[in-house]
Amino acid sequence: MLWALFHKSGGKPNRMRPRFMRKCAAPLSLRNLFSTLLVWGLLLFVVPFHAQSRENFTPEELRAAYLTSVTQYVTWPNESARNTLVIGVLGTSEVYEELARAPLSEVRDMRLEVRSLSRASQLTGIDLVYVAPNASNQLNAVFNTARIRPLLVITEHNQVREDMMINLIAPSPSRLAFQVNPDRINESGLRASNDLLVLRGSELESAVQLRRTQIALAETQRERNALSAELENLRQQNNQLLNRIDILEQTVRERDSVLRAQQGTLEDKQQVMESQQSALQELLAELDEQRQLLLERETQLQEIQRTLSQSERALLEQQQQLRQKEFQLRQKQVESDELAERIATNRTVLAAQQQQLRDQRAALVEQQELLESRERTIDRQRVYLWTIGVVFLFVLVFLLTTVILFFRSRRQADQLRQTLEELHEAQDKLVESEKMAALGNLVAGVAHEVNTPLGVAITATSMVHDRLHVLDENLEQGKLSRESLKGFIERASESLSLTQKNLTRVGALITNFKQIAVDQMVAEQREIDLKVYLEEVMSTLSIELRRAGIEYDIAIPDEIKMTTIPGAMAQIITNLVTNAIRHAFTEPGGHLKLQAESIAGHQVRLTFTDNGAGMEADILNRIFDPFFTTKRNAGGTGLGMPIVYNLVRQKLKGDISVTSTPGKGTTFTLLLPKQL
């Protein structure tokens, strides 16, 4: 985990640094430097903000600047085929609004987009997500998404977790620290450059100032557009006023021509002329008002043009400042690259020196050990010369004893090997007999289950045959009536429908029996629907359960698909049901329950539960031991549970565990892979 800290200190050493950071920053000799690196095992970077900055940055500006700056030092897969990077903000609206205030600069010819998220399920299409402190309850879902696709996760939480990539810490509103885990970033499919670890406060300061300049430019552009729209509106109004003035002048000219035409009849039309003169005066007054309004609008237009010119000059000045900021930012990035190169060079030189020091120490230690070894060898040879005779005698006696014991142990080993082979053969025969017994129980259950619907079908068919004979006699004697024919048709339809239902049931039972029997005899893999297959297995065992007065329930979600060995699965369920019937229930009224659910790691958890007598601790510890049974006098072999254990662990590549409470029942839990 690599740490970096941004703070306003004017480039001076920070008194708030941790003790171990001040220790690493002190001058060290070569030996002290080597021991310090061994103790801490990490690189610490302290990057100050400039205290001379006249701006007080808000926390939202710092976070927005960091989110946009990080994209320059992290590479996403297939960037050559992309044109957009999407930043998601989860749990805070202030940072999203700060990012959305102005258009974001392009990164490696890719434009940046920002989206506001309310829950972790909206991460589709997001490349970088910032998780605010008030959204800590959604961290697990975010990290799960980052494990399956390239997603850079930037968090801000006090409790640091192993799966975090970049974690922000705010000691104060004007300070921002961050923790970087490059290994976790690379595991998610991203590539983080070394420059990410030396990201300096001056770069964030420049980024914040750049965003402020962009926001000001955007506001100025909006004001310019508004002024242009207002200027265009005033021009349209002026054109309308000019058209109105032309219409009024045309009206005045027309009225003047009418007056001149009516001068010959002045005495007769004196009253008409007075009314025309009053209308003319009104038109002249309206004309003066329109001219005055036009002058005012022209004055406003001139003021707007002056304002627009000032805005354009201010915009040019801001653009010039922006270009200067971008040039300064590029210079700082070049300085950062040079600093990273110097750090890498220093690391290489330090590693070479450390290797030389280790080689020299190893050579000295080897020489010292060689001298000590020679001295010890001389001393030992003196003792060996006096004791070698006695030791030789003891060796001869020991060799003779060893040879005698070896021949004896060899004969015993041969006897034990022969006994073990006989035991394996007996165990295989018992396993086969257990399989045939389970298949015999299956055949007996299916035969009993088939007899009932076949008996109903035969009874219904014989009744139709008798009715048909009576109908034939009535037809020959001429006693056939409409009512008797109609009654025969109705009863025959009911009998045939009952026969069809029972024969359909018989066909389904036989199909299930064939499938289960074939699965138990053939150890091949195929895909099964877990719920449907277990229902088929339990239907073949239903007759035995009904005889014992036991009910069962299957609570398995639909569409759980598994590629497994169905025969092994069927034998496991058969042995568990048989074990429950023999050992768990002494009286009718028991209940079995099968449950299953999909879990992480492409696995299925299958649970077999009964509410029977349960088991004591000593029996529970030996339940999977071969030949251990509590019903030996009742014909038990003690191989049912060992067969289940071996099938689960060896055939299905899973795991099995059992829990039991006396008087409350037993639960078997199987963890099986969805695909072998």
Side-chain angles (χ1 to χ4, degrees), residues 615-630 632 638-639 641-642 658:
M615 292 178 284
E616 299 292 341
D618 55 346
I619 298 176
L620 184 63
N621 293 332
R622 300 182 61 190
I623 188 173
F624 294 122
D625 292 347
F627 305 106
F628 173 75
T629 178
T630 59
R632 192 170 304 280
L639 290 176
M641 290 298 100
V658 57

Side-chain angles (χ1 to χ4, degrees), residues 139-301:
L139 280 177
N140 290 332
V142 174
F143 289 139
N144 290 335
T145 304
R147 292 188 186 98
I148 61 177
R149 68 178 183 85
L151 175 63
L152 181 62
V153 181
I154 299 178
T155 57
E156 188 173 351
H157 301 275
N158 294 328
Q159 184 177 4
V160 180
R161 295 171 45 170
E162 294 181 358
D163 45 6
M164 284 186 175
M165 300 180 183
I166 299 177
N167 187 51
L168 304 181
I169 300 176
S172 66
S174 61
R175 296 172 62 194
L176 187 64
F178 65 89
Q179 302 164 317
V180 181
N181 188 350
D183 294 336
R184 182 66 188 88
I185 295 176
N186 295 332
E187 288 175 2
S188 65
L190 307 174
R191 290 294 177 268
S193 64
N194 294 331
D195 297 337
L196 179 62
L197 308 178
V198 294
L199 183 61
R200 297 182 298 175
S202 58
E203 295 184 29
L204 280 185
E205 180 181 359
S206 300
V208 173
Q209 293 177 353
L210 178 62
R211 283 195 52 77
R212 287 187 174 181
T213 304
Q214 291 175 345
I215 293 172
L217 287 175
E219 293 177 353
T220 304
Q221 187 65 32
R222 286 195 294 270
E223 292 178 357
R224 178 180 180 183
N225 295 335
L227 290 175
S228 299
E230 186 177 358
L231 178 61
E232 184 65 24
N233 188 17
L234 290 176
R235 287 176 178 173
Q236 293 178 358
Q237 292 180 0
N238 289 336
N239 293 332
Q240 293 177 358
L241 290 176
L242 291 174
N243 294 333
R244 179 64 177 171
I245 291 172
D246 293 337
I247 293 172
L248 291 175
E249 289 178 351
Q250 182 66 26
T251 305
V252 170
R253 287 193 295 271
E254 291 177 354
R255 295 292 177 87
D256 190 34
S257 62
V258 170
L259 289 176
R260 285 196 298 270
Q262 293 178 351
Q263 285 180 359
T265 57
L266 183 59
E267 288 126 6
D268 297 335
K269 298 181 179 179
Q270 185 67 30
Q271 189 173 359
V272 176
M273 187 177 64
E274 291 176 357
S275 62
Q276 294 290 337
Q277 288 178 352
S278 62
L280 181 60
Q281 290 176 359
E282 292 176 357
L283 290 174
L284 291 174
E286 184 178 358
L287 180 61
D288 292 336
E289 292 177 357
Q290 294 294 335
R291 287 177 177 175
Q292 184 65 29
L293 182 60
L294 180 61
L295 292 175
E296 293 176 357
R297 293 294 175 85
E298 290 179 351
T299 303
Q300 294 178 358
L301 182 60

Side-chain angles (χ1 to χ4, degrees), residues 192-452:
S193 64
N194 294 331
D195 297 337
L196 179 62
L197 308 178
V198 294
L199 183 61
R200 297 182 298 175
S202 58
E203 295 184 29
L204 280 185
E205 180 181 359
S206 300
V208 173
Q209 293 177 353
L210 178 62
R211 283 195 52 77
R212 287 187 174 181
T213 304
Q214 291 175 345
I215 293 172
L217 287 175
E219 293 177 353
T220 304
Q221 187 65 32
R222 286 195 294 270
E223 292 178 357
R224 178 180 180 183
N225 295 335
L227 290 175
S228 299
E230 186 177 358
L231 178 61
E232 184 65 24
N233 188 17
L234 290 176
R235 287 176 178 173
Q236 293 178 358
Q237 292 180 0
N238 289 336
N239 293 332
Q240 293 177 358
L241 290 176
L242 291 174
N243 294 333
R244 179 64 177 171
I245 291 172
D246 293 337
I247 293 172
L248 291 175
E249 289 178 351
Q250 182 66 26
T251 305
V252 170
R253 287 193 295 271
E254 291 177 354
R255 295 292 177 87
D256 190 34
S257 62
V258 170
L259 289 176
R260 285 196 298 270
Q262 293 178 351
Q263 285 180 359
T265 57
L266 183 59
E267 288 126 6
D268 297 335
K269 298 181 179 179
Q270 185 67 30
Q271 189 173 359
V272 176
M273 187 177 64
E274 291 176 357
S275 62
Q276 294 290 337
Q277 288 178 352
S278 62
L280 181 60
Q281 290 176 359
E282 292 176 357
L283 290 174
L284 291 174
E286 184 178 358
L287 180 61
D288 292 336
E289 292 177 357
Q290 294 294 335
R291 287 177 177 175
Q292 184 65 29
L293 182 60
L294 180 61
L295 292 175
E296 293 176 357
R297 293 294 175 85
E298 290 179 351
T299 303
Q300 294 178 358
L301 182 60
Q302 293 176 357
E303 293 178 356
I304 290 174
Q305 289 178 347
R306 286 195 299 273
T307 304
L308 185 60
S309 301
Q310 294 175 358
S311 300
E312 290 179 350
R313 287 193 296 271
L315 180 61
L316 293 175
E317 293 176 357
Q318 291 178 354
Q319 289 178 349
Q320 182 66 26
Q321 294 176 358
L322 178 60
R323 286 191 291 270
Q324 294 177 356
K325 294 289 185 181
E326 290 178 349
F327 177 73
Q328 294 175 359
L329 182 59
R330 285 194 296 270
Q331 289 182 342
K332 291 178 179 179
Q333 289 178 350
V334 172
E335 294 175 358
S336 177
D337 295 337
E338 294 176 353
L339 178 60
E341 292 178 357
R342 288 197 298 271
I343 291 174
T345 304
N346 293 333
R347 287 179 185 172
T348 305
V349 174
L350 179 60
Q353 293 176 353
Q354 290 175 353
Q355 184 62 36
Q356 293 178 359
L357 181 60
R358 285 194 294 269
D359 295 340
Q360 293 174 359
R361 286 183 178 179
L364 291 175
V365 170
E366 289 179 357
Q367 293 177 0
Q368 186 176 0
E369 290 178 352
L370 182 60
L371 291 175
E372 293 176 354
S373 176
R374 289 179 178 178
E375 292 178 356
R376 288 193 298 268
T377 302
I378 293 173
D379 294 336
R380 289 171 184 171
Q381 288 176 354
R382 292 174 182 175
V383 177
Y384 290 159
L385 291 175
W386 292 98
T387 59
I388 190 170
V390 178
V391 172
F392 181 73
L393 294 176
F394 279 109
V395 168
L396 289 177
V397 174
F398 176 75
L399 288 176
L400 292 175
T401 306
T402 303
V403 170
I404 295 171
L405 293 176
F406 172 74
F407 284 108
R408 290 181 180 179
S409 62
R410 185 173 182 179
R411 287 195 298 270
Q412 293 178 355
D414 293 336
Q415 294 175 358
L416 290 175
R417 188 180 301 107
Q418 184 178 0
T419 304
L420 183 60
E421 290 176 356
E422 294 176 355
L423 183 61
H424 280 309
E425 291 178 359
Q427 183 178 357
D428 293 338
K429 293 179 181 179
L430 288 174
V431 170
E432 291 298 328
S433 64
E434 189 74 16
K435 290 183 179 180
M436 296 307 296
L439 187 59
N441 292 333
L442 180 64
V443 172
V446 171
H448 185 277
E449 194 72 15
V450 168
N451 283 336
T452 300

Side-chain angles (χ1 to χ4, degrees), residues 4-18 21 45-53 62 169 171-178 199-202 204-205:
L5 179 66
F6 295 135
H7 57 91
K8 288 188 175 182
S9 61
K12 300 178 180 180
N14 189 3
R15 297 179 180 178
M16 298 303 293
R17 294 182 186 175
M21 294 173 68
F45 298 93
V46 179
V47 187
F49 267 157
H50 295 292
Q52 292 82 4
S53 177
L62 289 176
I169 300 176
S172 66
S174 61
R175 296 172 62 194
L176 187 64
F178 65 89
L199 183 61
R200 297 182 298 175
S202 58
L204 280 185
E205 180 181 359

